[in-house]
Amino acid sequence: MSTASEHAGQAALSICEALLLAMNDHGLLPEHEIVGVLGDAAATHENAVGTEFEMENHRAVADLINAIIAGGNSVRRR
């Protein structure tokens, strides 16, 4: 069962993905910069500290971002 927080997270992800695609399509950011932004976001979560529960959440977020990078979801690879 989904929670309001999960819905907010999915909406935020979709919005960010659409923005990254638009920035690339309009020549505002090249692919390597978009991948860099995503990599920075993943690194932030990979290097986060906190309780074991918080660390587990950060690892899951980093894994998701890294999967997005690997899958090319936010960049139209040419």
Side-chain angles (χ1 to χ4, degrees):
M1 183 164 275
S2 295
T3 65
S5 176
E6 289 171 334
H7 292 144
Q10 290 175 355
L13 180 60
S14 293
I15 291 165
C16 289
E17 182 177 2
L19 287 171
L20 290 172
L21 287 167
M23 285 190 275
N24 185 251
D25 288 348
H26 293 283
L28 298 173
L29 279 178
E31 178 182 330
H32 75 275
E33 289 287 340
I34 292 171
V35 172
V37 166
L38 293 170
D40 289 347
T44 296
H45 288 281
E46 289 166 348
N47 296 316
V49 295
T51 65
E52 185 56 38
F53 176 75
E54 292 167 334
M55 294 296 295
E56 186 176 315
N57 285 333
H58 284 294
R59 282 190 296 271
V61 171
D63 289 346
L64 176 58
I65 295 169
N66 286 320
I68 289 169
I69 293 168
N73 293 356
S74 294
V75 180
R76 287 186 178 94
R77 306 257 165 131
R78 296 180 179 124

